[in-house]
Amino acid sequence: MASSCPQCGSLHIPKAQPIPATMGETLQRCQRLVKSNEAPGSAEIAFIRAVVSDTGARLGYLDAEISRLRDGLEQLTSERTQLSEYHSQYVPILSPLRRLPTEVLAEIFLRTLPSFHERSGDISDTQRSPWTVCQVSRRWRGIALSTPSLWTTVHIDFVHDEHQAHSDVEIQLQRSRTLNLEVHFFGRDEADPAEQLELFDLLSRHSARWETLNIQLSSALVPRLAQLRGRLPSLRRLWLQWDSEQSQVGVHLITCFKTAPFLVDAGVNSESRFVPILVPAHQLTTYRLHGPLKMHLHVLKLAPNIVEARIITAFDEEPWPEPGPQTIELLHLQRLHVSDEGLLDYLRAPHLAEIGVELTMTNEYSTLVDRLGALFLRSTCAPEKLLLKAISSPASTSDILKKYPFITTIALTFFKDGIDAMEAHLTTLTNVSKSQHLREICFGALESMPIDYPLFLRMLKSRRQSCLGAASFFAMEGPDPDPVTLVGLEELRDGGLDLRVESGVEAQREIDVWDNDCLWNQ
């Protein structure tokens, strides 16, 4: 019989007694009956009844104990659930976030704001900061609403979303209070012109606060620019581009930015037709314009304070004139990127630290080495960084590095049709003897293409004993390195190499920085 424990109440169930060995014949007979359908004899029936009675009693004891334990488990589970809910209500009260000073939280919120490349579509996207932090708690919402710098970037994008909420723009302008604004406005000819004009007029009422203007002009927006003349007292950075060729129809000159008293960073992207846009050249420090050579030379002569320049030559109707003995002297220029190496013949830049050249099929690679040398000699400069965009000849790159050993950083970017050139450069740079002075090597893939990451790894390993301290590979699209290559890259990183391998938005941002492309958008 079972007995209960006087302390815990659990049942003590005796083990079943073994079957006596003296009943051997009956036991053997019963075992045969288990495996057959024969009828038992009288002696076997008595034996089997005894077995059934004993095992039935034990099963009853086991069922009772299981039921008792199950009832106890249910009680404990219920108690734990209630206690867990009570516990979880009080734990967050001890969170360090609750004790963070308001100023610290506000700074954290500022660091959650999306970058330019991450912004698109609806200005009031509730899945992004600063709108998201307003939905966490009453305190967070109060801090967000009392931090006007969270609301100073206004991003209106008719390219990705044809309908923008007028009321949300008003809310953001109100929350930014009196702080200067960073305005990104992307118009589109196919979008509703009335809606675009309504939002642009709303923003224009705050044009005195515009510090940054990044605008893509549609046909409807162009006439509105005239009303900005004399109303941009805070504007420091300008980037202007056109939605399409249709946007430029009937436009011959834009003058509204000429009188902006603090404009120092100006960029214009014109892909279909050149439209002169007047800017205060004498105060510019950063210059990024598309246009004919004549326009560039005119502006550069009036811009002695230029520090950074990205010069894209296009729309030339006449052959370029001979440079002549009087070159344009840019005493403060440190970063220079040109779309045509021929432009180098017109300049002198004694403080040049970085130079980039975009190459096309029409460029003569054999002249690049000499043109760079002439610029360096004429300017008495020794730039440390060289960016070559879409170069196809690794021999030219090797010649440059061999002839100008003061170049210690090289960045090479390639389009999809340049995959063979990319692999050839990786192979060439594996030969350390011609470029052992390089301290940093950067590769960039500008389009989706298969990338030979194992070759990139072999190139880096070949430079273990050189002075190479940093390397990077940025791919706009395409597959990531395979697991084996990733292990090898991680070993180099653990060994002290400053190594970055990125793709997507982060790669786009870094390549734009190399290309000196609208840096304030990063």
Side-chain angles (χ1 to χ4, degrees), residues 377-418:
L377 180 62
R378 183 171 58 250
S379 304
T380 61
C381 66
E384 297 180 350
K385 184 173 183 178
L386 173 67
L387 167 67
L388 297 177
K389 186 175 183 178
I391 189 168
S392 63
S393 170
S396 297
T397 306
S398 295
D399 290 345
I400 293 171
L401 295 176
K402 184 177 180 180
K403 191 170 183 179
Y404 311 116
F406 47 77
I407 296 175
T408 58
T409 298
I410 186 167
L412 305 168
T413 57
F414 301 87
F415 291 101
K416 181 165 56 179
D417 57 3

Side-chain angles (χ1 to χ4, degrees), residues 238-268:
L238 168 68
W239 178 260
L240 184 148
Q241 61 189 23
W242 307 86
D243 176 52
S244 64
E245 187 175 358
Q246 177 186 346
S247 309
Q248 295 180 304
V249 173
V251 184
H252 304 290
L253 180 68
I254 294 177
T255 63
C256 62
F257 304 108
K258 175 68 175 177
T259 57
F262 293 104
L263 182 61
V264 294
D265 183 340
V268 177

Side-chain angles (χ1 to χ4, degrees), residues 321-343:
E322 290 296 324
Q326 298 297 321
T327 55
I328 299 174
E329 191 166 28
L330 300 171
L331 297 179
H332 302 284
L333 185 63
Q334 297 179 22
R335 299 182 65 196
L336 172 64
H337 289 223
V338 298
S339 65
D340 192 308
E341 62 184 79
L343 189 80

